[in-house]
Amino acid sequence: MKVLALDTATTDLVTGIVDTTTGESVDRVVSDTRAHNEQLIPTIEQLLNDASLTYPDLSAIVVGTGPGPFTGLRVGMATASALGVALGLPVHGVCTLDAIAQGRAGEWLVAIDARRKEVYWATYSEGHRISGPEVTRPEDLTVPAGFSPRLVFPEAIAPRLPDALAGLPREWDTLRAAGLVACADLDSEPAPLVPLYLRRPDAKVPQATPRSTALIGGTEPTES
């Protein structure tokens, strides 16, 4: 089975094709980009070309559902849904943090940059999520007593870790297609895609402004 995987929850545009029979995968990752919408489909088509495949060769699609920003998640999930409808393929959504933690033995705290001086994070034991995902300031991160994780943490934000976590073993790793596919139950009916925003949208519906009675025909009516 050839599975297309994609994720737009971070500033990296992650795409890949995984052969679930052989375990082989071909990845194309565009690092630190803010142009997911313009680059996603061309990157997927280049990926198919690299793998000597076409769209009809695919059997399923897996997409990261975040946590992440509204615009980034919308690009990836809408594209995955549209391709699923056009190609008649099942589309499976998986938590982006789960995909990063996939295959990691032991205890881990996995975090990605949430901007606004915050991180999205969750904790894991033997690859299984035990808390989160949540969004918080790095300085406010805490873990339960007795839980001594290794960290997958953005290096640019690491200096803001609290003292209790600053000395723990730390690394960073770019999300890969194989992690996304490994988190999906490809034998089951896919659930509806639900984005993990964790924040309220920035855009707000403006409050209605009271209209002057002078603009709607004069003074208010009086009781007789």
Side-chain angles (χ1 to χ4, degrees):
M1 177 186 293
K2 306 293 193 305
V3 181
L4 170 66
L6 57 100
D7 186 277
T8 56
T10 70
T11 56
D12 290 341
L13 171 59
V14 177
T15 64
I17 295 175
V18 177
D19 187 327
T20 60
T21 301
T22 65
E24 296 179 352
S25 63
V26 178
D27 291 77
R28 285 188 69 85
V29 177
V30 182
S31 300
D32 196 21
T33 179
R34 300 297 176 90
H36 295 85
N37 191 41
E38 295 85 353
Q39 294 180 309
L40 181 52
I41 288 297
T43 302
I44 291 173
E45 293 183 345
Q46 184 60 56
L47 174 70
L48 289 167
N49 183 67
D50 291 346
S52 300
L53 299 172
T54 63
Y55 283 113
D57 294 317
L58 301 174
S59 299
I61 300 172
V62 176
V63 60
T65 59
F70 176 81
T71 301
L73 291 183
R74 181 177 58 185
V75 169
M77 296 175 70
T79 300
S81 295
L83 288 174
V85 171
L87 301 171
L89 299 178
V91 180
H92 300 264
V94 301
C95 173
T96 299
L97 295 173
D98 291 357
I100 297 174
Q102 178 64 35
R104 296 180 182 273
E107 298 175 333
W108 292 85
L109 185 151
V110 177
I112 56 177
D113 189 355
R115 305 176 192 173
R116 303 185 194 173
K117 300 181 179 180
E118 294 178 322
V119 290
Y120 297 117
W121 64 279
T123 57
Y124 296 83
S125 179
E126 305 300 333
H128 298 287
R129 186 175 357 130
I130 59 175
S131 68
E134 298 183 30
V135 58
T136 190
R137 298 169 65 245
E139 296 88 344
D140 298 331
L141 281 171
T142 61
V143 295
F147 187 75
S148 183
R150 298 172 62 88
L151 309 182
V152 178
F153 206 88
E155 288 299 322
I157 309 175
R160 296 174 49 207
L161 282 165
D163 291 342
L165 300 180
L168 295 176
R170 186 179 70 245
E171 63 183 68
W172 176 245
D173 192 17
T174 300
L175 175 63
R176 297 293 177 180
L180 290 162
V181 173
C183 289
D185 184 357
L186 299 175
D187 295 325
S188 68
E189 185 73 18
L193 295 179
V194 178
L196 295 169
Y197 293 134
L198 301 190
R199 287 183 179 138
R200 294 182 180 275
D202 290 332
K204 298 181 179 179
V205 178
Q207 294 183 347
T209 302
R211 298 180 64 187
S212 170
T213 55
L215 299 177
I216 55 175
T219 60
E220 296 180 357
T222 58
E223 295 182 359
S224 57

